[in-house]
Amino acid sequence: MKIIFVKDYEQMSAEAGELIAAQMKIKPNCVLGLATGSTPEGTYEYLANLYGSNKIDFSKVTSFNLDDYYGLAPEHEQSYRYFMNKHLFSKVNIPIENTHVPSGIAEDIDAACAEYDRAMEASGGVDLQLLGIGINGHIGFNEPDDKFTANTHLVRLDESTIKANARFFDDPKDVPKQAVSMGIKNILQARKILLLASGQNKAEAIYQTVLGPITPSLPASALQLHSDVVLIVDEAAGQKLWDAKKQGKVHEYVRTF
Ligand code: GLP
């Protein structure tokens, strides 16, 4: 894992934006795996600005999002399709038919999940997967469990996730209890993975992701099995890892600012 320690959210977003822009320049018809949450918002703003100044072109890009809430229609303000349209797709020239977000309202969810996996495979696979992380170490909506789930599937959300995401809803009772998410195998099949973390409440999860055991009780630890992961952490999220680095416990390639 290549670890880049940055000062703050703004630097994290700029670094991530530049990395995604580089991927798009190397392969204009690349397939991007995209994430939601407050963590990648700044990255999307950075990319929209690069597009606005004619530095990148999304016209041949395809995207697959990690997840969406079960039961929320795409028009719902808290659905992840709505989030993506608002923060990225409406601001750049990606053809909307090239964008994919798992459906939370399909009549047959299992069939829709299998179809999502097939579409990802048919696209040639994800070149670069962007990830945030939950405070409990979840990636996508793969919650702590006693096994890793491979493919796109219906998930029951953890109480801690429901609580953490309640801040986006008018009434905490409105937070869906289930979601549809890519599985760990889907995520690990991406050619490159970019994991972002900002804020003190992510410090423990990030430490365990990099230096803890590989275990489904901390789903992000599965990233240790992938050979091309870049982690960008700000000072607060990287604090515990930074302390470990000072004690010589971090051996991966590390760049600091
Ligand atoms: C959500 C998403 C994840 C995201 C995580 C962290 O539950 N499913 O993909 O990484 O929460 O969110 P945030 O970036 O807002 O802290």
Side-chain angles (χ1 to χ4, degrees):
M1 202 177 288
K2 301 180 186 73
I3 306 168
I4 303 176
F5 290 95
V6 295
K7 190 161 177 21
D8 53 20
Y9 182 84
E10 202 183 330
Q11 264 189 26
M12 177 193 76
S13 304
E15 278 283 324
E18 287 298 336
L19 206 146
I20 296 168
Q23 169 68 69
M24 290 170 59
K25 280 177 196 152
I26 293 163
K27 187 176 175 189
N29 62 344
C30 64
V31 179
L32 297 178
L34 298 176
T36 50
S38 45
T39 306
E41 267 182 43
T43 305
Y44 295 147
E45 194 182 334
Y46 192 91
L47 287 171
N49 288 337
L50 285 184
Y51 169 73
S53 44
N54 286 323
K55 295 204 173 95
I56 49 173
D57 172 26
F58 284 81
S59 63
K60 297 191 181 70
V61 171
T62 296
S63 71
F64 286 90
N65 264 78
L66 285 166
D67 49 13
D68 207 340
Y69 287 113
Y70 178 69
L72 295 194
E75 303 75 37
H76 191 289
E77 282 189 19
Q78 293 308 330
S79 82
Y80 286 169
R81 161 56 79 177
Y82 187 95
F83 174 103
M84 289 311 301
N85 288 347
K86 178 174 168 194
H87 292 285
L88 186 67
F89 301 154
S90 64
K91 297 186 175 168
V92 300
N93 66 334
I94 190 164
I96 203 73
E97 63 276 15
N98 288 8
T99 68
H100 306 82
V101 180
S103 170
I105 54 164
E107 253 177 54
D108 184 341
I109 284 288
D110 289 344
C113 288
E115 183 47 41
Y116 200 72
D117 290 342
R118 265 195 299 276
M120 251 189 294
E121 210 182 317
S123 74
V126 171
D127 290 296
L128 173 62
Q129 176 67 56
L130 180 61
L131 292 179
I133 187 167
I135 45 177
N136 61 3
H138 75 223
I139 45 176
F141 266 133
N142 291 276
E143 297 284 29
D145 201 349
D146 51 13
K147 58 172 186 344
F148 290 118
T149 304
N151 296 316
T152 303
H153 61 296
L154 188 62
V155 198
R156 176 155 295 281
L157 297 177
D158 221 57
E159 273 312 313
S160 66
T161 301
I162 294 173
K163 210 168 140 205
N165 291 358
R167 69 191 195 277
F168 298 113
F169 290 78
D170 293 337
D171 185 335
K173 287 202 243 18
D174 295 341
V175 186
K177 308 277 182 286
Q178 285 171 285
V180 179
S181 177
M182 277 188 203
I184 295 294
K185 185 179 88 182
N186 297 127
I187 293 171
L188 292 183
Q189 274 174 339
R191 291 178 192 94
K192 182 183 260 307
I193 294 177
L194 173 56
L195 172 64
L196 306 181
S198 166
Q200 200 270 330
N201 61 345
K202 303 290 174 71
E204 180 64 26
I206 282 298
Y207 175 83
Q208 294 297 337
T209 296
V210 180
L211 292 176
I214 299 172
T215 164
S217 62
L218 194 112
S221 63
L223 298 174
Q224 292 177 34
L225 298 169
H226 195 283
S227 60
D228 195 355
V229 179
V230 176
L231 162 63
I232 307 179
V233 272
D234 72 2
E235 215 170 342
Q239 191 58 55
K240 200 163 173 195
L241 204 54
W242 185 253
D243 290 344
K245 180 183 174 296
K246 282 194 291 195
Q247 292 161 20
K249 290 187 194 155
V250 177
H251 303 293
E252 292 92 344
Y253 171 74
V254 177
R255 185 154 61 92
T256 56
F257 283 79

